[in-house]
Amino acid sequence: MTRPKRKGHRALALLCLFCSPVLLAETLAPVDQRIGSEGSLKIDFQRHVLPLLSRAGCNGRDCHGSAQGKGGFQLSLFGYDFDADHKALTKLVEKHGVARADKDNPAASLMLKKPAREVAHKGGKRIEKGGWQYELLLRWIQQGAPAQNRQQRFERLEVAPAEIVFRQSGDTAVLSVVAVWADGTREDVTPLTRFQSNNDGVAAVEATGRVTARGAGDTHVVAFYDNGVAAVPVMQPLPGKSAHAVAATTVDRHIQTKLAKLGITPSKLCSDEEFLRRASIDMTGTLPTPTEVEAFLANTRGDKRARKIDELLQRPAYAAWWANKLCDFTGNNPQQQAELGQELASQWYDWIFRRIRENQPYDKLVADIVLATGRSEGQSYEEYAAEMSAYFRASKPADFTGRPTMPHYWTRRTMTKPEDKALSFAHSFLGIRLQCAQCHKHPFDQWTQQDFKQFTRFFEPVKFDIPPAARETAKQLAAAGSATMNMQSMMMSQDMQAMAMDGRVVPWRELYVEKGNRPELKLHLLGDRELTLRSDEDPREKIMTWMLEKDNPWFARAFVNRVWANYFNRGIVHPPDDFNPANPPSNEALLDHLAQGFVASGYDMKWLHREIVNSHAYQRSWEPNATNAGDERHFSRAVPRRIPAEVVYDSLAQIVAAVGELEEVRENLDRRAVGHLSMRMAGTYAMNIFGKPARATNSDCERSADPSLLQSLFLRNDPIMQGRLDDGGWLRELETRHSSSAQPPRAELEPLIREAWLRVLSRPPRTTEQERALAHFSKAASTAGGMRDLLWALLNTKEFILNH
Amino acid sequence: MNTRSTSLIPRRRLLKVGALGAGLTLSQYLRLASAGATDASTKRSGILVFLRGGPSHQDMFDLKPDASAEYRGEFNPIKTNVPGVEICEHLPKLARCADQYAIVRGLTHNLADHGLGSTYLLTGNRPGSLVKYPTYGSVASAELSVMPDLPAFVSIEEPLEGPGFLGIQHSALATGNKPRPNQPFSVRGVTLDGGLSLTQLENRQQLSRDLDTLFRGHEKLSGEITAIDEFSDKAHRILSSARARKAFDLAAEPADIAGRFGAHETGQSLLLACRLIEAGVRFVTVIVDNWDTHQQNFATLKRTLLPQFDQGLSALFTTLKDKGLLDTTAVLVTGEFGRTPKINGTAGRDHWPRAMFSLMAGGAVHGGQVLGATDATASEPTDGGWSPDDIAASFYRNIGIDPHREYHIDTGRPIQLIRNGKPIEQIFTGAA
């Protein structure tokens, strides 16, 4: 809940045990107590003044911390820029003839008079004249309004209690916060800390740090002081004891521990038909076939679910669906490539698809993207140009998926600046949002602007153009085909693209790391240890090594969490691309287990899928019991969620396919939105309205499972929908087979009705449903017509559109 | 991270019109709606006419007859029915109703790319990789009430810019194609085609309801379930609603009115927009294409673009006025940028965002005025000029939506609808 500890300090602390008594200093009492009793108390700008301004709301987003400040007075957002703030406070304000912190006339200082409402202040009264806050600021000014001590470094926050468990609503608890500084000083900073609750419905927190229980459930109360962010878990269990549930797997054990604490009893397991449909969608983005459903239901093996999971992992559709997801995380967007967008996007997808199909470990797959270069080891520019041109030959193009590395991640137009690379990288592989830190300190994360700037520097040497040494060759290659090269943009002209299609070699821009041309840098990698970056090194290698370290807080965790989020209504950290200290996991032990297990398995993605899908937690029914209707956070029941865009689209084709063609329609990934058609379908109407992400921003929430009016209209009346029902192979077969207008006997209709249910809802119909369907057929003008109506009706149920 | 704000399932403010629904006119409806509204401000409907490609400002609404030949172009200004205001000679109808709209000259920005410029003008915020801002119609969909059997936001013909952080439920219903003169017009997903009758639709709907039993008894279990039921209901109403059908049925407009708009896509699209607003749709975007005149700028403008635009837009203003809708409809006409002051080698003009124009009309707009000015060659605003943010803020003000309204979305910080712009007061007061 605090920043990652630096390992060195523990050793240092032990050593100093024998050296100096100072390090075991007691904790200084809070400044509001000492200000009255200690006349000689030295007020510190960083330790006391700025935190006070944060706590009082002066430097918040709405007031002086906003982008333009307020009333001509600008402070840094939540006090991250000591120099700028000190200047702003101590300079003379012309209009009033006095400074905000006026050393010559302390009592006249505006930073006293305004917040105490002694003079007009649009921000209202923030402190009491004569109160300790007033006294603190006054004393600081009287002491000469000294700036921050540059030797001083904030180390971490300690919050007590470490966890709050309430018995009933209305109960309270008080938090106390201690700041620990690098020199060992400890100070109680509770009166200077900002507090926030992550869920007011469960617990509310006052400015004083008093927490009040509001309702059953759990959340975190977060404390902010200086650069520290500390989140305290707060929970209020349901009254009474929850039923004891046996934990079937380790995943279940961790979940069960939490549920038991909360007094929540998990729902029972889902039915076999629900399991088959759910797992097929979540693992392979595909509905099961009627044959598959019947076989699974008839199967009497005790381990059939585990075997089905193994079987699903073997299907090409598994690789297709997860290649899609990895394209979501890495931002594969045809429109972001400078040229040949569709082709490059498809290459990107296919490259990942192949590696998932071969079950390549995740760390290797990522490394081959992160460390990608245009040329492979020892390749000359001409050889590289020949290789690239071969991928675009019209006749027998070379196979891009055979390339050892995948450079298109870096060559996007939206990745030109090092800052863009840094933001995208952090999102794709670490699950963190650095955006705020670009301009100021992240208001609730630990990243400073300095952290961001340093991280950005790692990406500066990564270039995408034609390296100076190769430009002559490039010009010659272009000239050989009577094309000219635009040496400014170095992009492919239409001529050159045509040449490549023709089988000729054309010059290509390449992804490379500029070496030797830059000074050696000493940089901190996202607040972590200091690294030396020599001028001949690929800085991405340093990042890759760091990501694979045992204690790296993000690389493995971000991925397992995203995979988890695919299988449930939410991630263990949610949103999954927002790992930060103010947004802790809802089950730390569970996330730890999955991340550690994933790494120990050698980053084996199939291990991860098995570990999750075999758990009882995943296989729970959506039906709530008396204790868990309100729980959407702790996986005590399946939470119904809309099926993804690609699955809707593909299902429509599969559901109406002719009996003999259904398998083929399902298997042919080239024609499926879940498969290789994914890139070509990006931006089309159906994909848009069902929430397929455009991948235009660095954000997981671009993929949307929200329902909408347009989706309902689509399923009722879109031309695509009508086309499927009108022309689907099965419907045509029915037209042929039952061409007379006489109604077929019941014995013939019943299997057709059963088939409809199996196709759309992946289960057999109940007797009442069958009767209702028969009643409809008895009034239908034709069998095919009746079936069109029935399929339409089933496709427009919540049961179809929701994954439950 | 505040967990409260993760779901964007909207609380849709569907007005319960009940038995009154059938005979309610829009103005009656709006009066009812604002009577029930929690704040007293007027909420109007909106029309955005988007001139896609970058309309040539100095050849339409900001002529420079005194500039040298390579700048001034081939057109001359003519007087309008507002003293002191002159516009292009090829917009005679608009010249005769210049008192209906305000011309904003000196609109300026620096994004010369179609995509970026369009996003800027369609959302009122500079595009960035952090947040996707919604377009005007999506905001209208989120903030304004609409009748139960009509879509809130329609786009003719494709969805330009989306709902951004508001969520896909506020996407436009896109018509899929533009109305063509003398051809039946059908709208993707809304028109009942393919021989499906209302009775068949009703039977299917009934069958579906009877079979959709899985969550019986648990309808309130989650926001998703409630929302799907709501949207299903609304979708069915739209499909089976005479009002919705009539709204999209251009042939139902009396010939004398329809004739005003002109027998071309532009005119017919504007006619459809008018009908939709009249029926109760709250926001319509009309896309008018082909303004990207890098070549043959003057020939293209003179031959087709200007006459069609002139006819269609003037008919829109006149017809809205005649139907009593001009006061309750905010209209914005704009492209994504202007065009280069100096004519290029192919008798055309290229992209030029540093100077452009917009028109505003309807609602509280004080028509018959020109705001702002550009220099002698229509290259830059002569004073500070205004940004697309300011135009957007003005448009929202005219609709009745607070441009600085904040939304709480997933990124953890509140987002303002219009980050940087301020409404241009003069548009509403008429005073400089």
Side-chain angles (χ1 to χ4, degrees):
Chain A
M1 66 187 187
T2 52
R3 295 177 66 168
K5 273 202 181 115
R6 286 157 222 257
K7 291 191 269 238
H9 281 100
R10 207 177 295 151
L12 189 61
L14 273 173
L15 190 63
C16 287
L17 195 60
F18 300 99
C19 303
S20 159
V22 173
L23 274 157
L24 297 184
E26 289 172 10
T27 304
L28 293 167
V31 73
D32 60 339
Q33 291 173 18
R34 287 187 290 139
I35 196 137
S37 53
E38 276 178 49
S40 62
L41 174 62
K42 284 215 65 197
I43 306 294
D44 188 289
F45 183 57
Q46 177 183 3
R47 294 191 194 201
H48 304 134
V49 176
L50 281 182
L52 178 58
L53 296 184
S54 300
R55 163 82 168 243
C58 312
N59 54 17
R61 226 187 31 84
D62 293 327
C63 300
H64 300 293
S66 83
Q68 298 98 347
K70 273 265 179 349
F73 175 37
Q74 169 140 44
L75 287 171
S76 63
L77 185 65
F78 297 127
Y80 66 88
D81 189 340
F82 305 145
D83 288 330
D85 287 349
H86 190 259
K87 245 198 218 115
L89 285 167
T90 51
K91 75 167 191 239
L92 179 71
V93 181
E94 297 289 342
K95 195 163 85 157
H96 297 273
V98 75
R100 296 188 177 91
D102 199 297
K103 294 177 244 189
D104 298 325
N105 194 352
S109 298
L110 289 171
M111 75 185 290
L112 293 171
K113 294 196 144 208
K114 286 241 170 197
R117 255 296 177 76
E118 293 180 77
V119 301
H121 183 224
K122 284 217 180 102
K125 190 190 244 190
R126 314 304 291 195
I127 62 179
E128 263 330 307
K129 177 161 184 184
W132 69 268
Q133 295 104 321
Y134 189 98
E135 195 51 41
L136 186 152
L137 295 175
L138 175 61
R139 195 144 345 151
W140 174 66
I141 306 169
Q142 285 168 339
Q143 289 171 0
Q148 74 280 10
N149 171 1
R150 287 181 196 283
Q151 306 311 318
Q152 184 166 264
R153 223 169 28 84
F154 174 80
E155 172 83 5
R156 68 177 187 279
L157 280 185
E158 291 177 359
V159 187
E163 186 189 61
I164 300 177
V165 180
F166 287 123
R167 256 189 354 105
Q168 62 193 6
S169 297
D171 285 355
T172 64
V174 180
L175 291 173
S176 80
V177 183
V178 169
V180 181
W181 299 86
D183 66 357
T185 325
R186 299 168 58 85
E187 181 173 352
D188 183 324
V189 291
T190 312
L192 299 171
T193 301
R194 265 187 314 127
F195 295 98
Q196 116 190 348
S197 163
N198 281 352
N199 187 342
D200 288 336
V202 171
V205 65
E206 294 160 54
T208 54
R210 191 217 293 275
V211 185
T212 309
R214 285 267 186 82
D218 79 322
T219 186
H220 287 83
V221 168
V222 190
F224 300 92
Y225 172 88
D226 196 273
N227 205 32
V229 179
V232 176
V234 179
M235 100 167 57
Q236 184 190 149
L238 287 172
K241 275 193 90 67
S242 63
H244 176 65
V246 176
T249 68
T250 315
V251 163
D252 290 312
R253 183 160 49 80
H254 291 303
I255 290 177
Q256 190 48 36
T257 306
K258 192 73 187 275
L259 293 180
K261 269 192 189 167
L262 288 165
I264 294 176
T265 306
S267 296
K268 61 186 199 306
L269 290 184
C270 66
S271 66
D272 278 343
E273 53 215 31
E274 283 174 327
F275 167 77
L276 179 62
R277 183 175 193 259
R278 190 190 295 175
S280 300
I281 291 172
D282 289 341
M283 294 180 78
T284 68
T286 312
L287 292 183
T289 63
T291 322
E292 193 181 351
V293 176
E294 305 259 46
F296 189 71
L297 293 181
N299 188 333
T300 52
R301 288 184 72 118
D303 61 351
K304 68 177 176 182
R305 291 192 184 189
R307 291 169 70 87
K308 177 57 73 175
I309 291 168
D310 286 340
E311 187 198 319
L312 289 172
L313 286 173
Q314 291 301 108
R315 299 218 184 127
Y318 153 75
W321 177 240
W322 286 94
N324 242 324
K325 298 291 286 191
L326 269 119
C327 285
D328 281 356
F329 308 147
T330 51
N332 183 3
N333 177 349
Q335 300 198 9
Q336 283 177 355
Q337 298 291 345
E339 52 204 356
L340 299 162
Q342 259 312 324
E343 289 80 352
L344 297 188
S346 296
Q347 287 174 348
W348 183 331
Y349 173 90
D350 290 339
W351 188 94
I352 294 181
F353 171 82
R354 173 170 171 172
R355 278 144 188 83
I356 298 183
R357 188 91 181 94
E358 293 167 355
N359 199 33
Q360 190 173 90
Y362 176 71
D363 60 337
K364 170 115 177 62
L365 195 159
V366 168
D368 289 340
I369 295 176
V370 169
L371 303 174
T373 49
R375 280 187 238 182
S376 30
E377 187 83 33
Q379 216 181 19
S380 73
Y381 177 77
E382 276 202 67
E383 287 165 343
Y384 162 72
E387 179 198 318
M388 287 302 289
S389 305
Y391 297 134
F392 293 85
R393 280 203 293 258
S395 139
K396 292 210 277 227
D399 183 7
F400 182 87
T401 68
R403 266 190 65 97
T405 68
M406 211 293 291
H408 302 334
Y409 177 80
W410 298 99
T411 65
R412 291 175 277 171
R413 268 182 314 166
T414 47
M415 292 280 263
T416 335
K417 300 204 286 269
E419 296 80 38
D420 298 326
K421 292 185 172 80
L423 290 176
S424 181
F425 192 95
H427 170 252
S428 298
F429 304 115
L430 303 175
I432 60 184
R433 295 180 184 169
L434 288 181
Q435 290 86 330
C436 298
Q438 205 172 356
C439 301
H440 49 68
K441 178 186 174 306
H442 208 297
F444 46 78
D445 204 335
Q446 71 255 43
W447 309 123
T448 63
Q449 203 176 6
Q450 186 63 355
D451 287 330
F452 181 79
K453 285 195 173 128
Q454 299 239 311
F455 190 53
T456 303
R457 303 217 63 179
F458 281 86
F459 301 99
E460 281 169 5
V462 180
K463 306 276 182 217
F464 178 57
D465 57 38
I466 299 185
R471 291 200 188 150
E472 247 336 288
T473 316
K475 270 202 258 195
Q476 285 163 16
L477 282 173
S482 320
T484 44
M485 183 105 187
N486 179 342
M487 291 317 286
Q488 288 281 58
S489 72
M490 288 183 252
M491 278 176 52
M492 298 276 283
S493 63
Q494 299 282 35
D495 298 342
M496 286 198 272
Q497 289 182 30
M499 274 167 67
M501 284 194 60
D502 225 22
R504 307 187 59 148
V505 175
V506 292
W508 292 80
R509 288 188 286 171
E510 69 170 290
L511 177 69
Y512 64 98
V513 177
E514 198 176 52
K515 292 191 177 166
N517 207 9
R518 37 183 237 253
E520 182 178 280
L521 292 172
K522 287 206 188 305
L523 298 173
H524 285 275
L525 188 52
L526 281 180
D528 205 275
R529 91 299 296 272
E530 188 181 73
L531 294 172
T532 306
L533 209 55
R534 291 201 320 269
S535 64
D536 63 343
E537 288 181 303
D538 180 348
R540 302 171 306 172
E541 282 180 13
K542 303 267 189 193
I543 301 180
M544 196 68 224
T545 311
W546 169 73
M547 291 203 296
L548 295 177
E549 279 172 10
K550 197 162 107 51
D551 291 330
N552 184 289
W554 299 290
F555 182 63
R557 282 160 73 97
F559 185 70
V560 311
N561 186 59
R562 277 178 162 142
V563 173
W564 184 275
N566 173 78
Y567 286 112
F568 292 85
N569 59 308
R570 55 171 284 151
I572 303 165
V573 170
H574 202 71
D577 59 352
D578 198 4
F579 274 70
N580 79 67
N583 186 30
S586 61
N587 193 321
E588 177 82 48
L590 173 64
L591 185 59
D592 275 347
H593 162 71
L594 288 171
Q596 284 158 20
F598 182 52
V599 174
S601 76
Y603 293 90
D604 179 4
M605 289 191 271
K606 287 191 177 176
W607 175 89
L608 184 58
H609 294 296
R610 282 195 187 94
E611 187 74 3
I612 296 173
V613 184
N614 274 302
S615 71
H616 281 200
Y618 175 75
Q619 297 183 20
R620 288 196 170 121
S621 164
W622 64 267
E623 277 192 69
N625 55 42
T627 68
N628 69 1
D631 174 45
E632 287 195 352
R633 197 165 129 85
H634 295 292
F635 321 113
S636 67
R637 59 181 173 89
V639 176
R641 54 211 182 273
R642 214 209 62 217
I643 59 183
E646 296 91 336
V647 178
V648 175
Y649 186 85
D650 285 345
S651 298
L652 292 180
Q654 182 175 319
I655 283 165
V656 300
V659 170
E661 286 171 15
L662 200 156
E663 285 281 348
E664 211 265 315
V665 164
R666 194 175 79 138
E667 276 5 7
N668 186 356
L669 292 174
D670 283 340
R671 312 271 318 148
R672 287 195 50 194
V674 160
H676 302 277
L677 211 50
S678 171
M679 295 286 76
R680 294 210 179 270
M681 294 205 60
T684 56
Y685 181 74
M687 291 299 102
N688 273 353
I689 64 169
F690 280 97
K692 180 177 167 77
R695 299 167 186 159
T697 60
N698 295 318
S699 173
D700 282 24
C701 66
E702 267 198 339
R703 177 174 288 275
S704 166
D706 287 344
S708 80
L709 172 63
L710 295 181
Q711 293 168 20
S712 297
L713 280 170
F714 181 94
L715 288 168
R716 283 172 154 69
N717 199 38
D718 195 86
I720 291 179
M721 181 73 177
Q722 285 179 38
R724 296 266 184 260
L725 290 176
D726 284 345
D727 295 325
W730 191 38
L731 283 321
R732 292 281 181 217
E733 279 175 352
L734 290 178
E735 273 174 5
T736 317
R737 214 174 330 132
H738 303 272
S739 53
S740 84
S741 57
Q743 211 204 336
R746 199 186 165 103
E748 274 185 54
L749 281 177
E750 278 174 2
L752 292 178
I753 291 171
R754 185 181 179 82
E755 178 78 4
W757 253 263
L758 289 170
R759 284 180 177 228
V760 184
L761 300 180
S762 305
R763 64 170 176 88
R766 293 188 272 280
T767 320
T768 47
E769 294 173 325
Q770 184 152 278
E771 292 306 313
R772 180 64 183 90
L774 282 167
H776 185 85
F777 272 99
S778 71
K779 298 208 205 71
S782 67
T783 308
M787 184 54 78
R788 288 188 173 105
D789 292 340
L790 180 58
L791 289 178
W792 186 102
L794 292 173
L795 285 164
N796 277 282
T797 56
K798 293 187 287 291
E799 187 173 347
F800 168 73
I801 201 66
L802 288 175
N803 184 351
H804 49 85
Chain B
M1 196 84 264
N2 198 316
T3 54
R4 279 176 305 169
S5 53
T6 45
S7 171
L8 282 178
I9 306 293
R11 271 161 286 285
R12 297 189 66 77
R13 290 191 241 106
L14 301 176
L15 186 70
K16 307 273 186 278
V17 289
L20 288 174
L24 222 49
T25 64
L26 179 62
S27 47
Q28 287 170 332
Y29 168 81
L30 283 177
R31 256 185 283 124
L32 267 182
S34 50
T38 50
D39 56 293
S41 62
T42 322
K43 294 265 205 287
R44 302 189 172 93
S45 300
I47 297 179
L48 166 71
V49 182
F50 190 69
L51 307 179
R52 180 154 63 177
S56 182
H57 59 294
Q58 63 275 76
D59 297 317
M60 294 174 72
F61 291 97
D62 194 7
L63 280 80
K64 304 288 177 185
D66 299 327
S68 54
E70 68 264 30
Y71 290 91
R72 78 167 172 268
E74 294 174 18
F75 302 154
N76 295 309
I78 55 169
K79 290 195 187 340
T80 66
N81 71 341
V82 177
V85 177
E86 295 187 345
I87 65 177
C88 173
E89 59 183 325
H90 300 296
L91 301 171
K93 295 189 163 72
L94 283 171
R96 286 199 283 279
C97 62
D99 58 319
Q100 304 284 352
Y101 52 91
I103 305 172
V104 181
R105 295 174 180 159
L107 200 49
T108 185
H109 66 97
N110 63 1
L111 299 176
D113 168 78
H114 284 297
L116 296 175
S118 298
T119 303
Y120 200 178
L121 267 300
L122 288 166
T123 64
N125 291 283
R126 265 186 93 88
S129 69
L130 190 57
V131 172
K132 287 208 82 160
Y133 285 90
T135 186
Y136 308 111
S138 293
V139 179
S141 164
E143 297 298 326
L144 308 179
S145 3
V146 70
M147 302 204 222
D149 59 347
L150 285 177
F153 172 27
V154 175
S155 182
I156 309 166
E157 83 283 35
E158 48 162 334
L160 262 194
E161 274 316 303
F165 61 71
L166 289 177
I168 57 176
Q169 60 270 36
H170 297 298
S171 305
L173 176 71
T175 60
N177 47 48
K178 293 190 186 153
R180 292 224 175 88
N182 306 317
Q183 277 187 26
F185 176 61
S186 70
V187 178
R188 175 171 201 154
V190 175
T191 320
L192 283 185
D193 275 342
L196 193 68
S197 72
L198 275 177
T199 319
Q200 280 175 299
L201 182 66
E202 199 54 54
N203 284 340
R204 284 183 172 186
Q205 173 75 348
Q206 196 51 54
L207 181 60
S208 189
R209 289 181 107 123
D210 290 347
L211 298 176
D212 195 8
T213 57
L214 181 62
F215 295 103
R216 285 264 161 89
H218 295 282
E219 288 81 358
K220 299 275 186 290
L221 183 62
S222 74
E224 266 83 2
I225 292 174
T226 323
I228 290 174
D229 280 339
E230 218 178 86
F231 293 131
S232 288
D233 193 53
K234 174 137 190 172
H236 184 69
R237 281 178 203 265
I238 291 177
L239 287 174
S240 42
S241 151
R243 181 186 358 242
R245 225 186 343 271
K246 271 190 64 189
F248 286 99
D249 185 6
L250 287 180
E253 190 73 33
D256 59 329
I257 296 176
R260 284 180 199 159
F261 285 82
H264 36 77
E265 275 183 7
T266 303
Q268 296 297 298
S269 301
L270 290 166
L271 167 62
L272 178 60
C274 195
R275 274 189 80 70
L276 291 175
I277 293 291
E278 186 182 15
V281 171
R282 296 311 301 274
F283 197 98
V284 182
T285 297
V286 177
I287 300 168
V288 186
D289 282 309
N290 301 318
W291 295 90
D292 192 23
T293 48
H294 289 283
Q295 287 128 262
Q296 301 306 317
N297 175 59
F298 302 97
T300 316
L301 285 172
K302 181 174 169 186
R303 203 180 44 236
T304 41
L305 291 177
L306 294 183
Q308 291 177 357
F309 174 69
D310 185 47
Q311 188 178 25
L313 190 64
S314 59
L316 179 70
F317 292 145
T318 313
T319 311
L320 283 174
K321 184 133 192 267
D322 287 349
K323 293 185 192 244
L325 294 171
L326 197 54
D327 285 339
T328 51
T329 309
V331 183
L332 170 65
V333 182
T334 187
E336 64 263 48
F337 35 64
R339 302 201 81 81
T340 45
K342 202 154 176 214
I343 299 163
N344 68 24
T346 47
R349 297 189 197 265
D350 305 312
H351 306 174
W352 190 260
R354 279 152 58 190
M356 59 177 291
F357 79 91
S358 290
L359 306 179
M360 286 195 62
V365 168
H366 199 277
Q369 56 168 326
V370 170
L371 295 93
T374 54
D375 61 16
T377 50
S379 311
E380 312 268 2
T382 48
D383 49 22
W386 291 291
S387 66
D389 317 62
D390 299 323
I391 278 290
S394 310
F395 190 36
Y396 280 126
R397 158 86 78 79
N398 200 18
I399 294 173
I401 294 171
D402 176 9
H404 300 119
R405 188 205 185 300
E406 279 186 353
Y407 293 86
H408 289 264
I409 64 172
D410 237 11
T411 61
R413 67 176 168 112
I415 306 277
Q416 270 195 351
L417 185 55
I418 299 292
R419 208 167 43 204
N420 290 322
K422 283 201 294 281
I424 303 167
E425 293 300 334
Q426 190 189 334
I427 292 180
F428 306 103
T429 60

